[in-house]
């Protein structure tokens, strides 16, 4: 696909997903492309990741698993796009609409907003336990170790990080390389979330997936931080001055090469401290704080973060439209 076409598909896909999301009835009926990828990853993990093998051998099999995943996912996406590309002229427009609908499944604007808002609603209406239950659906840390402020910070951190890898990155790779680019990104990101952890089982086997995920997210994480900064100028009750400097100062201190950029931008905009020491499955991760504001976040801060996030999504869409106008 040429750039003009991919920009149109990206703009339509972002708009569709923002307003409609992925229908729950469809999810219960057939699942979701990410869950399909997850099944393949789980199958490869079961059959190739042998505990009796040495770490070097498990690392090699992890590379094989990643290559198989990318060939399958990329091949299917390329085939779908090729079918549309070779349609008769009269069917091109319906074909592009179908591609945009398929591409919208690789985005997470709607679901991310819904899940994070549920944390604020839970804290407001059901108290700490309801907030913990809601936040447990979007973070990997131990929810029972969190107080109300910790729950709120966890929700905002998840919003910032997932904005980068669930909205900006797939949209960016869609523009760059069409549906196959987005599909390959989602496969890498899903593999990282499933087998990219530093656990005894996956430290070696998931090494390639984790490293490749870091690489493909490098540009998107910086772009996400900049979009959040840009969104402060159309968002009430947030800071606007010195956020870029704060992001450049704090982001490199994060244990992740990518997550710190949107988290630092979000923290500075909201006047909060995010990240810091956190507990994952009983293990405390000593991470640096992002931002130098207050740590006592609450439901109101989650709602401010959601407004900032929503406006950043609008800016991303406008950027795609501006690129289309500029080049064509």
């Amino acid at each position: 696909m040429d750039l003009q076409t991919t920009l149109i598909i990206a703009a339509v896909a972002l708009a569709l997903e923002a307003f409609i999301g992925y229908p729950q009835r469809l999810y219960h009926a057939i699942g979701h492309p990410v869950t399909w990828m997850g099944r393949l990853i789980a199958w490869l993990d079961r059959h190739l990741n042998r505990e009796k093998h040495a770490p070097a051998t498990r690392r090699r099999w992890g590379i094989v698993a990643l290559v198989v995943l990318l060939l399958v996912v990329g091949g299917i996406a390329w085939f779908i796009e090729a079918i549309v590309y070779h349609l008769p002229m009269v069917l091109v427009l319906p074909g592009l609409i179908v591609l945009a609908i398929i591409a919208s499944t690789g985005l997470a604007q709607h679901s991310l907003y819904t899940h994070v808002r549920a944390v604020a609603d839970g804290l407001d209406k059901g108290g700490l336990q309801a907030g913990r239950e809601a936040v447990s659906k979007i973070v990997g840390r131990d929810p029972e170790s969190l107080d109300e402020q910790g729950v709120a910070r966890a929700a905002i951190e998840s919003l910032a990080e997932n904005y980068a890898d669930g909205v900006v990155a797939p949209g960016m790779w869609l523009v760059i390389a069409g549906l196959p680019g987005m599909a390959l990104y989602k496969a890498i990101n899903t593999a990282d979330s499933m087998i990219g952890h530093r656990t005894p089982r996956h430290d070696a086997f998931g090494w390639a997936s984790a490293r490749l995920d870091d690489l493909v997210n490098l540009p998107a994480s910086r772009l996400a931080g900049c979009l959040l900064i840009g969104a402060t100028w159309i968002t009430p009750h947030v800071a606007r001055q010195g956020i870029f400097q704060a992001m450049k100062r704090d982001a490199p201190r994060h244990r992740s090469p990518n997550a710190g950029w949107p988290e630092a931008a979000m923290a500075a905009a909201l006047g909060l401290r995010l990240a810091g020491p956190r507990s994952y499955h009983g293990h405390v991760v000593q991470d640096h704080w992002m931002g130098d504001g207050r740590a006592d976040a609450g439901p109101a801060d989650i709602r401010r973060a959601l407004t900032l996030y929503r406006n950043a999504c609008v800016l991303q869409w406008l950027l795609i439209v501006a690129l289309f106008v500029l080049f064509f």
Side-chain angles (χ1 to χ4, degrees):
M1 289 283 180
D2 57 81
L3 180 58
Q4 181 182 21
T5 304
T6 55
L7 286 169
I8 293 172
I9 291 171
V12 175
L14 280 163
L16 281 174
E17 199 280 329
F19 287 103
I20 300 173
Y22 193 81
Q24 282 296 310
R25 187 173 297 179
L26 186 62
Y27 177 82
H28 292 307
I30 64 171
H32 186 278
V34 170
T35 65
W36 306 337
M37 295 177 195
R39 291 189 192 124
L40 176 55
I41 295 165
W43 186 88
L44 291 166
D45 185 25
R46 285 195 306 271
H47 288 83
L48 299 181
N49 189 9
R50 305 293 187 182
E51 294 183 3
K52 64 181 181 181
H53 290 157
T57 302
R58 296 175 81 171
R59 180 177 289 192
R60 286 194 292 271
W61 279 116
I63 295 172
V64 171
L66 180 61
V67 170
V68 170
L69 172 69
L70 296 182
L71 286 174
V72 171
V73 172
I76 293 172
W78 176 85
F79 181 71
I80 292 171
E81 192 174 84
I83 290 176
V84 174
Y85 188 77
H86 290 93
L87 285 174
M89 184 63 65
V90 69
L91 296 177
V92 168
L93 181 57
L96 293 180
I97 294 173
V98 170
L99 275 184
I101 293 172
I102 294 173
S104 72
T105 67
L107 300 161
Q109 297 167 102
H110 189 276
S111 62
L112 180 56
Y113 186 94
T114 301
H115 281 95
V116 174
R117 184 179 61 185
V119 179
D121 292 342
L123 289 173
D124 275 335
K125 299 174 183 178
L128 177 58
Q129 191 55 41
R132 285 172 173 170
E133 290 175 5
V135 84
S136 68
K137 299 176 182 179
I138 57 174
V139 300
R141 68 194 68 177
D142 303 324
E144 295 304 317
S145 68
L146 300 173
D147 57 13
E148 182 172 331
Q149 298 171 5
V151 168
R153 288 198 307 271
I156 296 170
E157 291 161 16
S158 181
L159 178 65
E161 182 176 355
N162 284 290
Y163 169 58
D165 60 24
V167 181
V168 176
M172 184 195 75
W173 287 109
L174 175 61
V175 169
I176 293 173
L179 186 65
M182 170 185 268
L184 289 171
Y185 170 78
K186 293 302 292 186
I188 295 166
N189 190 243
T190 305
D192 176 62
S193 68
M194 292 182 65
I195 62 173
H197 307 293
R198 294 198 170 185
T199 61
R201 176 167 179 79
H202 291 126
D203 190 34
F205 187 77
W207 172 84
S209 297
R211 299 291 78 75
L212 186 56
D213 183 72
D214 287 342
L215 180 63
V216 297
N217 273 303
L218 278 173
S221 62
R222 278 72 175 167
L223 176 58
C226 291
L227 286 168
L228 286 168
I229 292 171
T232 62
W233 293 95
I234 55 174
T235 305
H237 312 301
V238 297
R240 297 185 177 90
Q241 303 297 330
I243 304 177
F244 186 73
Q245 290 76 11
M247 181 178 69
K248 289 199 303 179
R249 178 196 68 204
D250 293 337
R253 302 174 185 173
H254 200 285
R255 66 189 177 95
S256 165
N258 296 311
W261 296 88
E263 284 187 22
M266 183 75 81
L270 301 178
L272 295 174
R273 278 192 297 162
L274 300 176
R278 288 162 288 178
S279 176
Y280 292 87
H281 308 294
H283 175 66
V284 177
V285 174
Q286 296 292 342
D287 203 355
H288 289 280
W289 288 101
M290 300 289 104
D292 52 10
R294 54 187 171 84
D296 57 336
D301 295 302
I302 298 176
R303 298 188 193 283
R304 285 198 301 142
L306 283 167
T307 301
L308 181 64
Y309 159 76
R310 183 184 60 203
N311 290 339
C313 289
V314 172
L315 279 187
Q316 181 181 354
W317 185 84
L318 290 174
L319 177 60
I320 290 172
V321 172
L323 287 173
F324 178 83
V325 173
L326 180 64
F327 290 107
F328 303 102

